[in-house]
Amino acid sequence: MASFNSYVVFGVLVIMASGAVMARDVDPIKANNCETKMTLHCVNEVFASIFKTGIVTDHCCIELIGLGKFCHDALIKKTLENPLFKNNDTSVILSRGAQVWNKCTLVKKDVSPSPSPYKEG
């Protein structure tokens, strides 16, 4: 149950962090709709694999690749700027983020689209 709470905290932190930008600055996370491209379940799974220990399922890898590398990197960097994560080793977190991304690009290449159960004609 405690791990679920940490996932919820992460989601709240991402939302808070993206809203804490000065009005004159354009927030690249908001500008690229990074917050709306993944399900909360997959956000939690990816977060746990980068900031804790865990694995990312193939389904969530597909969502992560759909999110895009720019958003993936921007969300990690934004999370590291939060005071709650100041004790994390930035180089370790960035390395884990890169490992997750690289793993997911391989999964995306291995997973072919399922044929449609509906036949045309």
Side-chain angles (χ1 to χ4, degrees):
M1 191 65 168
S3 61
F4 177 76
N5 290 338
S6 63
Y7 301 146
V8 173
V9 168
F10 172 69
V12 170
L13 290 174
V14 169
I15 292 167
M16 288 174 39
S18 62
V21 177
M22 298 176 80
R24 66 175 206 253
D25 293 335
V26 175
D27 182 356
I29 292 172
K30 283 190 176 192
N32 288 285
N33 294 317
C34 297
E35 300 164 320
T36 62
K37 293 182 179 179
M38 288 180 70
T39 61
L40 181 57
H41 168 78
C42 289
V43 167
N44 293 335
E45 200 172 280
V46 171
F47 173 80
S49 70
I50 296 170
F51 287 87
K52 298 179 182 292
T53 58
I55 60 167
V56 180
T57 60
D58 289 355
H59 170 78
C60 290
C61 272
I62 292 168
E63 283 195 23
L64 179 63
I65 297 303
L67 174 73
K69 180 115 173 80
F70 174 84
C71 287
H72 173 67
D73 291 343
L75 288 167
I76 291 171
K77 289 176 184 172
K78 188 65 116 174
T79 302
L80 286 169
E81 291 172 4
N82 188 294
L84 292 175
F85 295 93
K86 68 180 178 187
N87 292 329
N88 285 296
D89 184 336
T90 301
S91 62
V92 169
I93 297 300
L94 294 175
S95 175
R96 286 183 190 162
Q99 289 171 0
V100 168
W101 179 264
N102 292 337
K103 178 225 181 236
C104 287
T105 59
L106 295 175
V107 168
K108 179 70 172 173
K109 290 177 185 175
D110 290 341
V111 177
S112 59
S114 300
S116 173
Y118 306 105
K119 302 231 180 221
E120 291 187 32

